[in-house]
Amino acid sequence: MPLPFVDLKRRFREWHPASDVAAAAVQSYTRLGEGAGTSYDWKRLCTERRAIILAEPGSGKTREMQEAASRLRHGGMIAFFIRLDRLVAATLQEILAPAPAAEFERWLNAEAEAFFFLDSVDEAKLTRAADFYVALARFSKALGSNGAARARIFLSSRVSEWCHDVDYPEVSSHLGDPLQRNETTREDGSIVAGRTKPLLVVKLEPFDRDEALAFARAIGTRDADQFVADIDAGFAWEFARRPLDVIDLAKFWSETGRLGTLTEIVRAHVRRNLRENPDRELETRNPLSEADALQGSHTLAAATVLCQQTSFDVSGAGDGIDATSCLPADWPNPRAQVMLSRPLFDDASYGKRQFHHRRAVEFLAADWMAERMAAGCTLLSLRNIFFEAQCDGMSLRPSLDATAAWLCGMQEHWSPDLRSWVLRSRPEIHLRYGDPAALPLEYRRQALQRIATNYAGRGHAWIEADDQALVRLATADLTEEINRLVLDASIVLEFRWQLLRMAALAKLAGCVDTALHLVATSMLSEDLRIEAVDVVVQAGGDTGVQRLADVARALPNFGDSLAFHLVQALYPRHFDNID
């Protein structure tokens, strides 16, 4: 049974043709790039005469357009929701139900304005890209010049199927607004018509926190506030930016009482986004089972990682990996197209597809390698794939950092060997990649110590880390190790800072005393002391923050940045006044 529509006052962000198309796809399920371009709600968008709406699968674009048309009709306006793919083989009058068809004919012979919501470009292109242009021509012909002048038209597309350089001129040609031509007035008063003003292109914004919370409540999630708080704590927002994602994540959370490990979240994300869509004609003609889809995703992820190329060529232009050559030989050719049309993939640029989530491709590539090991791949082969010999030992190939990190979290007969190789080569991969919570506790201790040893004695070092990895790496069992390393002045400052960051994110109460000691040490780096303040605030509770206030009052002097963070943490509750 379909869920009732939830009006979240979704917003759209203007998209410019100079934008990175791959980045636009990423931004459709994250909040990266937020703030760039003009923002629109439906009310403002409907004042435009023409607009292209871009969004990725599961974002809710079809439902949003259906409801926009419905709201306008309830407000006394004339509005139509039209499936663009049905116009490929039939006229507009033929695909409309009797009542809307009659309303359309009455509108053609009147003078009123009407709204048309055409969904969607990707469905119209399922068989061949040219079908989309056929549908546009049929629609344009049905409107006629008089109807086009009174029509407000909104066309939707997946980001992955919108080829701006090719599609935009076609849409402008067929649907360009005759009332929005630039005009120039000569000195003699005559008017010269110029080009039609550019069509507006926007993309549907992903959920922000408030929208995700409202949606979770609306779909009946038990204790939706706690559900969203767990997403915060688990740094799992990249998996909760679309309605479909929230539905499935909330279902798992409600059934298990927890959000799940990163491994569980990614595995569920993969399976969810590999589901077939029986409503898509291409899938009806070329069914692909869940097991085959999973096998195909493993293979394509491995190809992406091993070839160090992120995109798959679906246009035959030869630019990108040929997916058909990677997939099983007995797969009929359309199966590759079906595979790449699943929501697990999105757009890299026109004619090319890529995995929707970086973490998904890393996880799947690791699964593929585990399957090879189960099928008889030797330890020597595993080592030779992941490591290259150097004069001072083995070095992990940088392109395989993420895959190695995921494999280290598995509990297989070859796992201890792989972990020992990573430990000697580059254990800092666990600060960025994989699911560190899946690593054995003793190995995590060894990894932290080895990183500290590797960077000991250096003045500075560039150590990259990801908050989601840090929070999963840290547990209360590591408190003693973190405290010891943070207090060791021989260890490079940047790693000590990352350890404090880890303690703050994981709210390790056992690190509060160490953090207070660092704040009180006036000769210490201010950056380190500022992060120590955050540890106390996040993990110390009211008692810890009061102790921080006492330490702050006793400080003989401190810099402006530290003062700012202390004021943020303590004023006004713990400081009655600030000198």
Side-chain angles (χ1 to χ4, degrees):
M1 180 179 177
L3 291 168
F5 176 71
V6 183
D7 187 5
L8 298 173
K9 314 298 182 191
R10 300 287 296 273
R11 300 195 69 83
F12 307 84
R13 185 77 55 178
E14 186 174 2
W15 182 82
H16 297 284
S19 300
D20 184 310
V21 185
V26 172
Q27 290 166 15
S28 71
Y29 61 89
T30 70
R31 302 297 291 186
L32 295 175
E34 184 176 17
T38 305
S39 178
Y40 293 80
D41 58 12
W42 270 116
K43 183 177 180 180
R44 181 177 180 183
L45 192 61
C46 284
T47 64
E48 297 289 331
R49 295 194 58 80
R50 304 288 189 270
I52 313 297
I53 299 171
L54 304 180
E56 280 302 329
S59 299
K61 63 179 171 57
T62 296
R63 195 67 183 275
E64 285 287 332
M65 292 183 76
Q66 289 172 330
E67 293 299 322
S70 178
R71 281 194 299 270
L72 288 166
R73 286 194 295 270
H74 283 111
M77 307 297 290
I78 300 170
F80 303 90
F81 174 85
I82 298 164
R83 281 185 52 181
L84 200 56
D85 61 305
R86 297 186 63 193
L87 278 171
V88 173
T91 66
L92 180 60
Q93 288 86 343
E94 288 170 341
I95 68 170
L96 289 173
E103 184 179 23
F104 178 72
E105 289 297 331
R106 288 194 297 272
W107 172 76
L108 278 179
N109 296 309
E111 299 298 326
E113 193 173 61
F115 294 79
F116 294 86
F117 297 87
L118 309 182
D119 187 54
S120 82
V121 171
D122 45 281
E123 296 291 341
K125 288 183 177 182
L126 276 179
T127 303
R128 58 194 185 106
D131 286 346
F132 167 50
Y133 310 134
V134 171
L136 285 180
R138 287 182 182 274
F139 180 72
S140 177
K141 182 178 181 181
L143 291 187
S145 58
N146 180 267
R150 295 182 286 114
R152 294 185 184 271
I153 303 169
F154 304 89
L155 178 70
S156 79
S157 174
R158 291 185 183 186
V159 181
S160 54
E161 298 299 333
W162 177 252
C163 175
H164 192 82
D165 291 342
V166 177
D167 294 337
Y168 187 90
E170 289 287 340
V171 174
S172 297
S173 172
H174 289 294
L175 304 182
D177 184 3
L179 299 186
Q180 288 198 349
R181 291 191 179 275
N182 294 318
E183 295 179 341
T184 303
T185 303
R186 292 174 173 169
E187 291 183 2
D188 61 4
S190 62
I191 297 176
V192 179
R195 293 182 177 180
T196 302
K197 291 181 181 179
L199 299 175
L200 175 68
V201 183
V202 298
K203 61 182 179 64
L204 181 60
E205 290 277 75
F207 278 171
D208 60 21
R209 189 183 189 280
D210 290 341
E211 288 169 340
L213 176 58
F215 187 76
R217 286 171 175 163
I219 63 176
T221 304
R222 174 182 53 83
D223 198 354
D225 292 86
Q226 185 59 51
F227 167 63
V228 170
D230 285 355
I231 296 176
D232 284 332
F235 289 82
W237 277 109
E238 64 188 287
F239 300 102
R241 293 301 191 191
R242 304 179 299 180
L244 182 64
D245 293 334
V246 174
I247 289 169
D248 287 330
L249 201 58
K251 183 174 183 290
F252 179 88
W253 185 87
S254 297
E255 290 173 351
T256 63
R258 60 191 181 87
L259 197 60
T261 65
L262 182 61
T263 300
E264 291 171 322
I265 292 172
V266 176
R267 180 172 285 115
H269 165 82
V270 166
R271 292 188 177 277
R272 176 172 67 246
N273 286 285
L274 283 176
R275 290 175 188 160
E276 65 178 337
N277 182 355
D279 294 331
R280 302 195 82 199
E281 184 182 350
L282 181 65
E283 302 222 10
T284 302
R285 299 197 306 267
N286 303 281
L288 181 64
S289 70
E290 183 176 337
D292 283 345
L294 188 58
Q295 178 195 16
S297 69
H298 283 151
T299 303
L300 295 182
T304 294
V305 171
L306 295 175
C307 296
Q308 298 183 48
Q309 193 165 357
T310 59
S311 59
F312 298 93
D313 177 22
V314 294
S315 66
D319 185 14
I321 300 172
D322 179 7
T324 57
S325 67
C326 302
L327 294 167
D330 60 348
W331 278 31
N333 191 54
R335 272 198 181 183
Q337 187 181 357
V338 172
M339 177 84 232
L340 292 170
S341 72
R342 296 283 169 88
L344 188 66
F345 299 87
D346 61 25
D347 144 269
S349 62
Y350 186 68
K352 293 191 290 186
R353 300 284 283 170
Q354 66 182 10
F355 278 92
H356 194 62
H357 272 289
R358 170 182 65 83
R359 244 180 278 280
V361 69
E362 296 163 356
F363 169 83
L364 287 165
D367 262 7
W368 179 88
M369 192 66 235
E371 289 174 354
R372 305 287 76 73
M373 293 301 294
C377 182
T378 65
L379 273 173
L380 179 60
S381 296
L382 180 67
R383 188 180 68 180
N384 289 340
I385 290 170
F386 280 84
F387 298 85
E388 55 186 344
Q390 294 187 344
C391 57
D392 57 348
M394 296 189 306
S395 177
L396 178 61
R397 302 179 196 275
S399 63
L400 297 176
D401 279 358
T403 306
W406 279 103
L407 285 169
C408 283
M410 296 183 181
Q411 308 305 318
E412 303 293 343
H413 67 89
W414 42 264
S415 300
D417 292 281
L418 178 62
R419 286 194 286 264
S420 69
W421 300 334
V422 169
L423 200 61
R424 293 198 298 271
S425 177
R426 196 156 56 250
E428 55 267 35
I429 64 172
H430 299 302
L431 303 180
R432 296 182 66 192
Y433 301 117
D435 184 1
L439 300 170
L441 175 61
E442 185 55 33
Y443 176 74
R444 282 184 281 143
R445 283 200 182 100
Q446 293 171 349
L448 292 180
Q449 179 58 59
R450 186 68 187 217
I451 296 169
T453 301
N454 288 349
Y455 290 98
R458 297 194 189 184
H460 292 284
W462 178 257
I463 301 176
E464 294 184 89
D466 185 321
D467 282 354
Q468 67 81 25
L470 293 178
V471 76
R472 292 182 172 94
L473 184 61
T475 61
D477 298 322
L478 285 177
T479 297
E480 183 179 344
E481 191 75 14
I482 292 172
N483 285 334
R484 182 178 64 80
L485 295 173
V486 164
L487 292 172
D488 187 343
S490 71
I491 296 173
V492 70
L493 177 68
E494 286 79 4
F495 184 52
R496 296 166 71 192
W497 187 93
Q498 295 289 5
L499 290 166
L500 286 172
R501 178 69 177 158
M502 190 184 302
L505 291 168
K507 297 179 170 55
L508 298 181
C511 293
V512 170
D513 287 347
T514 297
L516 287 167
H517 170 74
L518 295 175
V519 175
T521 306
S522 58
M523 298 300 292
L524 198 62
S525 157
E526 190 165 68
D527 287 341
L528 210 60
R529 296 169 76 190
I530 288 170
E531 194 58 38
V533 169
D534 196 36
V535 172
V536 178
V537 171
Q538 298 299 325
D542 287 342
T543 301
V545 176
Q546 183 56 57
R547 291 174 64 196
L548 177 64
D550 295 338
V551 168
R553 289 190 183 95
L555 289 175
N557 55 68
F558 39 78
D560 291 345
S561 294
L562 179 58
F564 174 78
H565 284 83
L566 286 169
V567 169
Q568 275 194 320
L570 302 172
Y571 186 80
R573 185 174 179 183
H574 296 279
F575 274 176
D576 292 332
N577 56 74
I578 303 292
D579 293 332

